Amino acid sequence: MARGSRFADHVSAPLRGLALAGVALLGPPLLVVMFVGAHAGLPSPAFFVEQGRRLPALARSLAARWGGVEIASPYRPAPPPPVRDPDGWYRDGDALFRSAFLPAYLARLRWVAGDPATARDLAWMVLNPLVGGVLAGLAPALVGVGLVAVPLGRPAGAAAALLGLALGPRLLRLHARWTRVLLAPPARRAPGRLARAARSGAVAGARLCGSVVLAGVAMVFAVAQLVAVGLMPVRLWPETVLGSRRFVSWRRARIGEWTGVRIAEPYRPEPPLPDPGPDGSYRLGWGPFGTVHRTRADALRARRFEWLARDGASWRDLAWLFLEVPVAVVLFAGPAVLIAGGLAGLCWSWVWAEALGLLTGAAWSPDRLLRAAVPALPDVPAPVAGLAAAALGMAVAPALLRCHALLSRALLGPTRAAVLTSRVDTLTSSRARIRDAQAAELRRIERDLHDGAQARWVAVGMTLGAVEELIDRDPEAAKAMVVGAKDMSVTALGELRELVRGIRPPVLADRGLADAVRTLAMDAPLEAEVRVRLPGRVAAPIEAAVYFAVSELLTNAAKHAAASRVLVELRHADGVLTVTVADDGRGGAVAGHGGGPGGGNGAGPGGGLHGIRRRLGGFDGTLTLSSPPGGPTVATLEVPCGLSSPRTSTSSGKGSPTS
């Protein structure tokens, strides 16, 4: 039975290979049709890409059936249909549409265009005739040649036919493995230790060489400031300083990204321009040092000059710009020469000979330099010496970059006085935000009491007054009015309880933040999981702020993200309470546009994120949002605080609080 099966496989393999070769030949024409259709204004480019996916899907299916290689579908899930907002509009990012057609069109277009599998499908259509078509068509070609040659009396034809039958199954398996190369989901393999070290060294070496170039750019900015001071300081110097600040700020960010040494911005905020006087002029300062300017541009230029000149960070920036070149020479010149020269010697050893020969009059190469540095070293070929020199430069690059970062932080970071000033400004603004939030909350409570419970209690009092007049004349009517007054009192009591619960929920006061968040998860209209690692309780005001922030994020995840599952994680470490809310929705939320996970629902003041930031800002808290199109959305709240009353919680799913 097994022999018969193997014989059938050998006989059918050429026919299957012929079919696969035909599939390969369909790729280029289909690619042309997709390109023309996508650019001809027909239904949608996404439509042609989705239809073109049928051919790779057929190839994956045949690879599994005929080649024994299972290939999973690599495509991202299709976006859900757009959801209509309560106001009747359909939302796509910040754009609003009356109908669902355009949001769905744009979502599917982003889906197919942003999926890496689409590019791999197109590459497969181009390359498959050259690789897969040859592999699949070799066996039927040999069999066909043999069948034609045998009747002509050529014995070699029989050998070709037998060879085609024998190689057929193997070629089908090779074809299936080739199909898997491009049409399977990419395998994610963690690089080995040696590969990680080589990659990090190469990246550090490239950044070190780039720092040498950037040191020259820094010198250009420094010289430009000196020239501006010498020519027209009031007119030119502020502009050059602001341009230098943009460059220095960019370098701060790169230094932090490359080395992990974060350097905060030390600059003072620009002071506002005073209002013009009755004659339209602008007065800056009073007394003998005050100045009057006729136009707003002159006043703005003078104010900016005074602001930059009095800011110590401007002069520290200038000192750093001048010191970049000597620091780069001391720290980076040697490794940069090793890296650049080593790679040059690795590829073209004559570069060394020509360049150094012109300077010294002698013939040099990497091996001669290495032997000159280490006389006892035996003869080393130029490529090996170049590789060793480049590896040495890359090995010391991370330490030198970090040393440069620490030196830069000493000049570019804020001074202690600047930090204290910034802290005072932050606390002042936080206090103002807290005061405004408290005033708004008091107005809300007053409005709810006036419009709700107070109105009902007034109605109860009026009803009881009417009962007092009717109780002797019409007891039945008085009894009915008493029942109505009783119902109104119960309703008013319920409204009071709801109002108190909105100020501070009882579960939050009685059981703490962990159980209060679990209660929110139990009431959420989607599957929610809560993980808590809090060895104690935080202050009551922080608990309330975090509780309402999580409530807002859960509401938006269910309302705007079309999410089916959300994860809430609370933890405390290093004096910071961190709350993470992650959903599996469609993403696309913008950090500056209110809302929450899954999309914004209020761009600007009054929106969801704005309210959360206002709550957390009073406690120096921050909100960070990551929401790429297609999801997932992750909102992270961080509030510096301490803990009290030790209590350890672990995790819970929806409706199963544990501690």
Side-chain angles (χ1 to χ4, degrees), residues 168-184:
R170 293 179 179 273
L171 292 174
L172 288 180
R173 285 193 291 273
L174 286 175
H175 180 274
R177 291 172 183 171
W178 149 252
T179 304
R180 184 174 57 187
V181 170
L182 285 177
L183 298 187

Side-chain angles (χ1 to χ4, degrees), residues 446-471:
E446 180 183 5
R447 183 177 62 253
D448 292 345
L449 286 174
H450 182 273
D451 297 341
Q454 177 180 327
R456 294 189 184 278
W457 283 114
V458 170
V460 169
M462 295 176 65
T463 302
L464 291 178
V467 168
E468 185 179 5
E469 296 180 359
L470 289 175
I471 194 169

